[in-house]
Amino acid sequence: MLAVRKAEPLPGIRLEEVPDPPLPAPDEVTIQVHAAGICGSDLHVYKWGESYDFMRSRLPLTLGHEFSGTVIATGANVTNVRLNESVAVMPTSSCLRCNTCLAGDVHLCNNKKTLGLSRDGAFSRLVNVPALSCISLAPETDLTLAALLEPLSVGDNASAVGGVTFGDTVVVLGPGTIGQAIIRTASWRGASRVIAVGMNDGPRLQTALALGATDIIDLASCGSLKDGLQALMGSATVDVVFEATGHAASIPDGLSILRKGGVLVTAGIHSRPVSFDLTPFVRNQLQLRAAHGSRRKSWEAIARRIARDPDSVRPMVSLELGLTQAEEGFQRCFERDVSKVILRPE
Ligand SMILES: [Zn+2]
Ligand SMILES: [Zn+2]
């Protein structure tokens, strides 16, 4: 079968012919992939930045960790999913043995393994996955939209970490996929004002509006974040800021617009250290939190949402391409004129 692979620790990806996976292990299932999204982390892996050097020893490896498909083979011990069932797959599995897993915080496992980053992923027709990672989907679910479950669950987890609640005014820095997922889920969680902020980001900010943002700010046309907010709201303080840019300057910028006691959630992957002034941080009792990955309960809640209301997330998908067009898909993502690009292995 064809697979989109990271072959060596250098920039780029390769489309290669690889053997089909073996029959699934006793606790695994084989998934026939229907749709798999290109993620921001796949872009980092493509460019081969420092933050992904941990993958070096695992190459070559098939990429792809945001996906949906159909169960076409089950291992001997599998009881939670059936043959021919439609599923989305949580890419990260926990060891269930380390101290954080045993304490019940399986999403914080010390030995996490991620499909498409630490073992072969879903940019291919078939992939073997742990059965417990499967999320069963209602039969009417649009399987292309189900490939959005991963980023939406990451966004929902970030919204939960930020404590977003009814009536909050929220700023989301960065209108990429995770920013869009935070916008969607913060608005589901009751935020009354959700302001999406980008930099030369016209198309993705329009998508943000379609996903529930109440306002957009393009920093390219308004100078500083503070000025943009002042012009929009007549004040420059908000309850919760989400940073989904990975740019160091977003942290002090985000802190500067919080009300006293406000919360900044960092969800971006940063390749540089950050410095900011701790005096106003302490005096204003600001809270700096980190969100990464997702929990099963977000997946299950969002799977039900997507089945019930597919149009609420459909604007996230900009482009669907065959696996052989993967390079084009990656390049379109780098150009930032698209939101989610979905690859279709069939
Ligand atoms: Zn991802
Ligand atoms: Zn663990």
Side-chain angles (χ1 to χ4, degrees):
M1 61 181 182
L2 276 179
V4 174
R5 314 258 285 169
K6 187 73 186 176
E8 47 190 2
L10 294 168
I13 50 168
R14 265 193 218 159
L15 187 64
E16 287 178 338
E17 192 65 38
V18 298
D20 286 1
L23 285 175
D27 295 314
E28 296 193 342
V29 296
T30 302
I31 305 291
Q32 180 164 343
V33 179
H34 177 87
I38 299 178
C39 170
S41 54
D42 296 323
L43 303 181
H44 288 292
V45 172
Y46 184 110
K47 287 189 185 162
W48 201 249
E50 250 170 56
S51 328
Y52 287 83
D53 204 57
F54 70 90
M55 286 177 69
R56 182 181 288 265
S57 63
R58 285 149 183 160
L59 302 180
L61 176 117
T62 301
L63 300 176
H65 60 268
E66 302 180 353
F67 64 106
S68 64
T70 306
V71 177
I72 60 156
T74 56
N77 299 341
V78 174
T79 55
N80 65 313
V81 284
R82 296 179 316 276
L83 271 184
N84 300 321
E85 192 172 341
S86 297
V87 294
V89 180
M90 298 175 67
T92 300
S93 50
S94 307
C95 73
L96 307 181
R97 287 181 180 82
C98 70
N99 57 347
T100 47
C101 279
L102 291 175
D105 293 324
V106 293
H107 64 294
L108 302 177
C109 173
N110 296 323
N111 308 311
K112 282 197 286 195
K113 287 214 163 61
T114 303
L115 292 160
L117 293 174
S118 43
R119 57 179 277 184
D120 281 338
F123 287 160
S124 62
R125 191 170 58 84
L126 302 171
V127 58
N128 284 356
V129 307
L132 288 177
S133 301
C134 293
I135 303 289
S136 297
L137 300 173
E140 68 272 23
T141 307
D142 179 329
L143 282 185
T144 299
L145 299 181
L148 299 171
L149 265 169
E150 198 268 349
L152 283 165
S153 301
V154 169
D156 189 54
N157 181 61
S159 295
V161 167
V164 172
T165 189
F166 286 92
D168 277 351
T169 296
V170 167
V171 163
V172 180
L173 303 176
T177 298
I178 296 305
Q180 291 176 10
I182 293 169
I183 288 162
R184 181 65 283 171
T185 55
S187 134
W188 280 337
R189 283 173 177 266
S192 59
R193 196 152 194 189
V194 180
I195 302 160
V197 181
M199 173 69 113
N200 267 326
D201 252 317
R204 300 197 301 180
L205 287 171
Q206 288 308 314
T207 303
L209 284 173
L211 291 168
T214 52
D215 309 272
I216 53 176
I217 295 176
D218 197 325
L219 294 175
S221 58
C222 75
S224 76
L225 176 60
K226 242 182 164 148
D227 292 346
L229 219 51
Q230 185 76 41
L232 183 69
M233 307 201 301
S235 84
T237 56
V238 304
D239 301 300
V240 189
V241 174
F242 293 92
E243 178 279 316
T245 66
H247 292 305
S250 299
I251 305 295
D253 266 11
L255 290 170
S256 76
I257 57 166
L258 283 175
R259 66 162 168 81
K260 282 193 175 179
V263 179
L264 173 69
V265 179
T266 315
I269 299 292
H270 288 254
S271 51
R272 297 233 173 85
V274 174
S275 72
F276 59 91
D277 186 354
L278 279 165
T279 303
F281 179 73
V282 172
R283 289 216 170 109
N284 294 324
Q285 300 178 59
L286 304 180
Q287 307 292 308
L288 179 57
R289 301 179 188 166
H292 189 58
S294 57
R295 301 187 196 211
R296 189 173 195 104
K297 69 177 179 183
S298 289
W299 283 76
E300 288 173 344
I302 292 170
R304 289 191 294 272
R305 284 252 186 203
I306 289 182
R308 207 167 61 225
D309 185 10
D311 291 339
S312 63
V313 300
R314 203 181 301 281
M316 284 178 81
V317 178
S318 299
L319 200 57
E320 291 180 55
L321 299 171
L323 216 49
T324 52
Q325 297 161 289
E327 180 67 40
E328 179 192 340
F330 274 76
Q331 294 308 327
R332 291 294 300 274
C333 293
F334 287 129
E335 284 159 21
R336 299 194 312 162
D337 63 340
V338 290
S339 291
K340 182 59 72 186
V341 174
I342 299 277
L343 299 181
R344 303 281 300 268
E346 295 139 71

